[in-house]
């Protein structure tokens, strides 16, 4: 290691810190800086987290800052892990900082929407940082998903050209060189500002590693007394809640408005996506304190978690259960088929196994659910068809990303992990999913 670690700035992403290390230490190129930082350039480098550090860098960093503090205050950890179960949260924190585990293995990281594809910045923050520190840097809170404004300056965030994902070619792009001087566009919508400020406060609040009341239970009691729950507390009107929420958030032009399916999964306690939880909690008027440090009487928690358990065992009315699950299943099947469920966007075959996993239905239930089975049958495809579809997807993705550069077989293999040996079974299906020239291009990559 030839460089010197600078001081990390308030709310700076670790990735940004590494970018500045690269510049300040005068490395001739990215590759050499990355070799000094990472254990292996191909081993989960990360813009949102820490990545796999090499032993020397690990020692240097751990001698300057406590590693947990770095992860809690300078990575996107609070966004992804804030609402997961307590033991999982503790384990994830440990494994990120000590085993340098890939974050994808520790909690759910959903694919990004259009508004979150690139690192974002506030032009006013950048010029203030230049004045105060002599350089701009990447702020963590600007990278929160669905965040499109700077609370401090009440202005719109700008998308840089630097991708926010860590895959493909990982490079260090210092904010100072990327961010140009730009006029700020100010925002007057007070509701929009209020919701953004809510998300920011939730990110910045100290992480509670002891409270183990599940987010499903917290939101359940947050619905009490609203029109979305009957006075007995037995039935919830999720559809109306979802409709009202969607109208509300579309009006403040939020980028990714939670779908009925996401809201339902979250209320049932099967999902804990940061943005969805914040949208539900803010809409229901749950204070940040009640969301993060709820003080629910023990008997209520037991009753709730107990109820859920027995209700989940076997549905009382299979027809009603089938009916209720159908819209969820439809969405899940569509997401699996089109690749919205995977981080890379890779389309998958809609199997029962994936349905059980992502729709949160206990195994073997579909046998009793004719409506849901009918939905599945519409997505039916053979393995060969699915592989043909994946090949077309990978080819088009690479073509779009690399613009004019040619696509090589090794790039496709890296994306799909597919071997050429079954090519003759797959190729007859290519033209079902692509025009002739694309199909031919893929065939020639397969040497056919
Ligand atoms: Zn700002």
């Amino acid at each position: 290691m030839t460089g010197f670690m600078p001081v990390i700035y308030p709310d700076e992403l670790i990735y940004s810190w590494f970018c500045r290390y690269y510049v300040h230490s005068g490395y001739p190129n990215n590759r050499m800086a990355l070799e000094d930082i990472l254990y292996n350039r191909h081993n989960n480098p990360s813009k949102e987290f820490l990545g796999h550090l090499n032993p020397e860098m690990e020692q240097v960093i751990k001698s300057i800052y406590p590693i947990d503090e770095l992860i809690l205050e300078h990575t996107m950890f609070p966004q992804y892990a804030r609402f997961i179960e307590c033991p999982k949260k503790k384990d994830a924190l440990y494994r990120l900082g000590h085993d340098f585990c890939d974050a994808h293995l520790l909690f759910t990281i959903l694919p990004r929407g259009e508004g979150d594809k690139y690192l974002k910045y506030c032009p006013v923050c950048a010029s203030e940082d230049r004045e105060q520190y002599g350089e701009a840097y990447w702020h963590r809170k600007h990278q929160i998903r669905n965040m499109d404004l700077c609370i401090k300056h009440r202005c719109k965030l700008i998308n840089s050209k630097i991708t926010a994902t860590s895959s493909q070619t990982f490079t260090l792009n210092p904010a100072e060189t990327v961010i140009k001087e730009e006029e700020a566009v100010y925002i007057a919508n007070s509701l929009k500002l209020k919701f953004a400020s809510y998300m920011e406060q939730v990110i910045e609040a100290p992480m509670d590693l002891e409270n183990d009341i599940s987010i499903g239970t917290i939101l359940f009691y947050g619905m009490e007394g609203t029109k979305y729950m009957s006075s007995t507390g037995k039935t919830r009107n999720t559809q109306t809640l979802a409709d009202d929420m969607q109208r509300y958030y579309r009006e403040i032009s939020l980028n990714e408005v939670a779908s009925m399916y996401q809201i339902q999964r979250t209320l049932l306690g099967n999902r804990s996506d940061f943005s969805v939880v914040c949208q539900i909690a803010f809409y229901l008027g749950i204070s940040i304190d009640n969301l993060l440090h709820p003080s629910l009487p023990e008997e209520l928690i037991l009753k709730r978690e107990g109820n859920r358990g027995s209700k989940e065992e076997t549905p009382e009315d299979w027809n009603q259960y089938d009916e209720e699950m159908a819209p969820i299943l439809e969405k899940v099947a569509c997401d699996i088929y089109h690749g919205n469920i995977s981080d890379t966007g890779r389309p998958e075959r809609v199997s029962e196994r994936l349905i059980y996993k992502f729709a949160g239905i206990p195994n073997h239930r579909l046998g009793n659910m004719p409506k849901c089975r009918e939905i599945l049958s519409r997505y039916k495809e053979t393995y060969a068809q699915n592989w043909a579809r994946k090949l077309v997807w990978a080819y088009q993705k690479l073509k779009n990303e690399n613009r004019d550069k040619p696509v090589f077989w090794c790039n496709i293999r890296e994306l799909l992990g597919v071997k050429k040996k079954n090519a003759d079974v797959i190729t007859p299906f290519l033209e079902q999913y692509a025009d002739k020239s694309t199909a031919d291009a893929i065939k020639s990559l397969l040497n056919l």
Side-chain angles (χ1 to χ4, degrees):
M1 184 172 152
T2 52
F4 176 77
M5 278 319 277
V7 170
I8 198 163
Y9 295 136
D11 191 50
E12 181 175 25
L13 271 184
I14 288 183
Y15 169 73
S16 168
W17 190 36
F18 287 159
C19 291
R20 291 191 300 111
Y21 163 78
Y22 157 52
V23 176
H24 290 276
S25 303
Y27 282 98
N29 60 43
N30 236 287
R31 189 181 52 81
M32 290 171 82
L34 284 173
E35 270 168 14
D36 270 359
I37 296 170
L38 298 174
Y39 184 75
N40 174 338
R41 257 189 324 137
H42 305 290
N43 200 340
N44 67 51
S46 174
K47 290 184 183 162
E48 295 192 289
F49 300 99
L50 185 61
H52 191 155
L53 301 179
N54 77 41
E56 206 183 336
M57 185 51 103
E58 177 183 359
Q59 220 183 358
V60 169
I61 285 181
K62 287 183 177 171
S63 72
I64 322 180
Y65 299 105
I67 197 77
D68 285 359
E69 194 180 299
L70 276 179
I71 292 172
L72 290 168
E73 290 171 20
H74 296 277
T75 73
M76 300 313 288
F77 180 81
Q79 169 173 260
Y80 297 102
R82 172 69 70 185
F83 300 114
I84 62 176
E85 294 148 36
C86 216
K88 261 178 120 180
K89 198 189 300 186
K90 281 188 201 167
D91 179 60
L93 183 61
Y94 183 87
R95 294 186 59 194
L96 276 177
H98 298 271
D99 302 343
F100 303 129
C101 184
D102 183 347
H104 290 84
L105 303 173
L106 301 172
F107 31 72
T108 311
I109 299 183
L110 293 171
R112 289 165 183 279
E114 277 313 308
D116 295 315
K117 293 241 190 270
Y118 300 95
L119 291 181
K120 297 171 275 187
Y121 65 92
C122 159
V124 191
C125 282
S127 74
E128 284 186 4
D129 292 341
R130 282 173 174 145
E131 211 157 285
Q132 188 174 353
Y133 301 106
E135 59 188 333
Y137 62 94
W138 298 113
H139 286 247
R140 174 176 75 153
K141 60 186 167 211
H142 297 159
Q143 317 311 329
I144 301 171
R145 302 239 192 152
N146 241 343
M147 181 67 95
D148 57 1
L149 54 95
C150 169
I151 296 297
K152 188 176 173 196
H153 299 109
R154 300 178 158 231
C155 66
K156 269 195 169 166
L157 293 177
I158 299 174
N159 277 325
S160 71
K161 291 195 168 62
I162 309 303
T163 143
T165 51
S166 309
S167 51
Q168 303 290 326
T169 40
F170 185 83
T171 48
L172 296 166
N173 300 98
E176 179 56 26
T177 33
V178 172
I179 300 175
K180 307 283 173 245
E181 270 187 39
E182 237 161 309
E183 285 290 314
V185 177
Y186 291 93
I187 288 171
N189 186 326
S190 63
L191 270 184
K192 197 172 166 65
L193 287 162
K194 239 174 139 180
F195 177 62
S197 157
Y198 190 88
M199 285 201 290
E200 189 177 300
Q201 287 175 62
V202 176
I203 284 278
E204 286 182 344
M207 186 75 78
D208 191 339
L209 292 165
E210 299 307 325
N211 195 341
D212 57 359
I213 307 177
S214 77
I215 188 63
T217 301
I218 296 169
L219 294 175
F220 181 87
Y221 286 107
M223 280 174 92
E224 257 188 351
T226 67
K227 64 170 173 168
Y228 307 110
M229 188 183 275
S230 67
S231 54
T232 57
K234 281 214 173 105
T235 47
R236 289 192 287 187
N237 198 336
T238 311
Q239 182 73 60
T240 316
L241 173 66
D243 290 345
D244 289 355
M245 275 178 59
Q246 285 173 351
R247 202 173 313 118
Y248 182 83
Y249 286 112
R250 283 208 183 99
E251 253 165 48
I252 63 168
S253 52
L254 193 69
N255 282 330
E256 303 275 314
V257 177
S259 67
M260 148 80 189
Y261 146 77
Q262 290 172 311
I263 294 168
Q264 172 121 341
R265 303 317 304 158
T266 308
L267 291 176
L268 286 173
N270 297 326
R271 284 278 182 89
S272 58
D273 178 64
F274 181 84
S275 171
V276 178
V277 170
C278 285
Q279 286 179 52
I280 300 172
F282 181 78
Y283 182 77
L284 291 174
I286 301 177
S287 71
I288 290 181
D289 203 40
N290 281 341
L291 178 67
L292 301 181
H293 313 286
S295 55
L296 295 168
E298 213 161 281
E299 68 255 34
L300 277 187
I301 299 167
L302 286 172
K303 187 173 145 215
R304 165 78 189 134
E305 320 237 306
N307 264 350
R308 259 199 67 212
S310 59
K311 226 198 263 159
E312 299 258 300
E313 300 272 278
T314 29
E316 272 170 42
D317 182 339
W318 278 103
N319 283 338
Q320 194 196 338
Y321 183 67
D322 190 20
E323 195 91 31
E324 272 173 22
M325 291 310 289
I328 293 172
L329 203 109
E330 180 80 60
K331 175 81 172 77
V332 175
C334 177
D335 280 350
I336 294 172
Y337 187 85
H338 293 290
N340 298 332
I341 232 145
S342 89
D343 197 33
T344 55
R346 188 171 98 161
E348 296 296 343
R349 202 175 141 265
V350 184
S351 65
E352 286 200 14
R353 187 181 62 83
L354 288 181
I355 286 288
Y356 285 131
K357 181 172 170 198
F358 288 107
I361 305 176
N363 284 352
H364 312 303
R365 281 209 176 161
L366 285 168
N368 288 331
M369 301 163 76
K371 256 201 147 91
C372 288
R373 274 206 320 277
E374 192 273 321
I375 295 168
L376 277 194
S377 68
R378 276 192 274 118
Y379 287 93
K380 205 167 183 172
E381 61 184 343
T382 63
Y383 282 99
Q385 280 174 313
N386 179 250
W387 275 112
R389 202 157 63 79
K390 278 184 181 155
L391 278 173
V392 172
W393 166 79
Y395 179 82
Q396 281 166 344
K397 181 182 162 85
L398 291 165
K399 201 93 195 149
N400 287 337
E401 279 169 7
N402 301 340
R403 299 276 144 73
D404 302 323
K405 287 186 214 140
V407 174
F408 296 106
W409 174 252
C410 59
N411 305 122
I412 292 186
R413 198 184 49 206
E414 205 179 311
L415 268 178
L416 296 181
V418 64
K419 291 196 180 103
K420 282 184 185 178
K421 68 173 187 197
N422 295 322
D424 48 332
V425 191
I426 297 167
T427 43
F429 295 103
L430 283 171
E431 279 177 50
Q432 271 186 19
Y433 307 105
D435 56 40
K436 193 167 180 325
S437 68
T438 304
D440 287 344
I442 297 172
K443 279 182 206 165
S444 77
L445 284 173
L446 290 163
N447 309 326
L448 291 170

